[in-house]
Amino acid sequence: IVIPFNFIHSPAQPTAIGKGLSVKVNANLGTSEKKADIKEELKKVKVSVESKADTIMDLSTGGDLDYIRKEIIRNSPLPVGTVPIYQAFAEARAKRGNYLELGKDDMLRVVEKHAEDGVDFMTIHAGINWRSLKALEKEGRVAGIVSRGGALLAAWMTHHQKENPLYEHFDKILELADHYDFVISLGDALRPGCVADATDRAQIEELIVLGELVSEARRKGVQVMVEGPGHIPINQIEENVRLQKSLTNEAPFYVLGPLVTDVGAGYDHIVSAIGGALAAYYGADFLCYVTPNEHLGLPDAEDVREGIIASRIAAHAADLARGVKKAWDWDLKMAKARANLNWEEQIKLSIDPFKAFRRRQFLSNELEEVCSMCGEYCAMKIVRDYLNLPKNQSCR
């Protein structure tokens, strides 16, 4: 179990992620070179809190990155994660004209800067090294490397003919994590970007490296979790979760999706929820949301809401299957409210009360007790009025 909670980020609501706990949900936000509006990002923070995400990640790559990160942390009661190498490469490009012109010290300095600002967990792409990169070269992938951090580091390694500094100097990162008590989230730089590449040699080779890094972090008393794929067909999800848990000695598993098909553009929040529910049932602990705008563009605040709700539905479905008591209690309350035609309670108990209320309010007054689909033929109303069945206790 890990608890992302940098002591500098205060006040914040810490959350626990890992084995035996309810499944948690992360929401990504952040600027791009094309669009760097801090007001829009703070709106996304507000939506994330309202939609009951457990954490957020600032993936900004455009604008004043220090200011944007500090404002997001200042305005977020949720734990905040980042990917420091995004800023390291962006600064190298701004200062030296080439994003590849940075060294080990540049990368470590940015990690420390993020820690000093109060970042609670950081994605560290330390699993891509010469060993895993060579496995990729032998593989002949369809989509190659789709991780932004992974692609940047692979390009840096090839350009300089040097080992990945995040792998080679992982001990320095552990020292920083120990001091600030941020959680290291080991990034999956070689995650499959299409179902054709799922569970290939490169992905598994990197996972083996990540397992070794987990052991190293735990020896130093540092909190660590592992990020996972990616695009995975349904029939390979269980195998992937079991592999991760086995190779990393039960480290908390943080999955992007997984997306179970490549053709859901515009609906990838649904594609992701399908994979997320299954992954969490098989043992994944932390779901990174996917928005309807995945693969298409930068999500807006409404995309963020849709993505969070879809992921929360997946997490809740898995919690039910895993026997989490509070999940079962929630569903039982909803069932009783429906049986009693208690619309106010049904809306309150919905995973997205805002949307449930908005859809319900268009009903005419004469249908106040029932819904517009069945009207007076409502099964629950007929049973209540004419059958002498045992009554559930009202939730009113």
Side-chain angles (χ1 to χ4, degrees), residues 70-337:
K70 288 175 182 178
E71 281 298 289
I72 288 173
I73 293 171
R74 188 173 69 85
N75 285 276
S76 175
L78 306 177
V80 175
T82 59
V83 187
I85 58 166
Y86 290 174
Q87 182 169 3
F89 281 105
E91 288 182 349
R93 182 183 178 192
K95 293 175 182 177
R96 305 178 187 117
N98 185 338
Y99 61 80
L100 295 177
E101 294 305 318
L102 79 162
K104 174 256 300 184
D105 291 338
D106 297 317
M107 296 189 193
L108 295 177
R109 179 182 54 79
V110 173
V111 171
E112 185 164 17
K113 183 193 293 189
H114 284 218
E116 289 172 345
D117 288 343
V119 172
D120 302 290
F121 63 106
M122 297 184 209
T123 293
I124 304 293
H125 294 88
I128 181 170
N129 60 10
W130 282 121
R131 197 169 93 205
S132 54
L133 198 54
K134 285 178 181 176
L136 175 70
E137 291 171 355
K138 295 176 182 177
E139 198 66 43
R141 275 186 170 187
V142 175
I145 300 176
V146 299
S147 160
R148 181 162 52 192
L152 287 166
L153 285 165
W156 187 94
M157 292 166 64
T158 304
H159 177 75
H160 293 280
Q161 285 298 297
K162 290 183 178 179
E163 183 58 274
N164 174 7
L166 301 181
Y167 174 77
E168 189 173 17
H169 301 283
F170 190 61
D171 59 329
K172 302 293 184 184
I173 296 171
L174 291 178
E175 289 175 10
L176 293 172
D178 181 52
H179 178 72
Y180 292 96
D181 200 24
F182 65 81
V183 172
I184 291 177
S185 184
L186 290 170
D188 52 340
L190 299 179
R191 66 176 179 266
C194 64
V195 294
D197 294 338
T199 325
D200 67 359
R201 184 181 305 176
Q203 178 196 333
I204 302 307
E205 186 63 57
E206 182 184 34
L207 182 56
I208 292 170
V209 176
L210 296 181
E212 295 166 356
L213 296 175
V214 166
S215 297
E216 195 172 335
R218 286 176 170 172
R219 279 195 295 271
K220 298 291 179 66
V222 170
Q223 298 190 85
V224 61
M225 60 184 171
V226 173
E227 298 181 15
H231 290 239
I232 300 287
I234 283 174
N235 62 308
Q236 294 181 26
I237 291 176
E238 182 179 10
E239 173 187 358
N240 270 262
V241 175
R242 287 183 176 175
L243 270 172
Q244 186 275 342
K245 290 291 183 177
S246 174
L247 292 172
T248 67
N249 195 21
E250 298 289 330
F253 196 15
Y254 177 22
V255 294
L256 177 63
L259 289 90
V260 296
T261 178
D262 303 329
V263 299
Y267 298 89
D268 276 325
H269 58 313
I270 297 173
V271 176
S272 171
I274 294 168
L278 284 166
Y281 171 63
Y282 290 126
D285 309 284
F286 194 20
L287 303 182
C288 186
Y289 87 159
V290 170
T291 75
N293 226 22
E294 185 80 7
H295 302 112
L296 299 173
L298 193 69
D300 61 18
E302 186 55 32
D303 291 325
V304 168
R305 185 188 302 277
E306 290 286 317
I308 291 171
I309 297 300
S311 254
R312 286 188 58 217
I313 291 169
H316 178 71
D319 283 343
L320 282 170
R322 287 159 60 151
V324 176
K325 185 178 184 301
K326 69 177 182 179
W328 278 94
D329 288 345
W330 185 5
D331 271 53
L332 184 58
K333 287 177 182 177
M334 176 62 91
K336 290 179 178 180

Side-chain angles (χ1 to χ4, degrees), residues 79 82 97 108 161 230 265 271 337 342 361 369 375 381 396:
T82 59
L108 295 177
Q161 285 298 297
V271 176
N342 185 341
Q361 69 179 341
E369 189 180 33
K381 184 177 186 301
R396 291 181 189 275

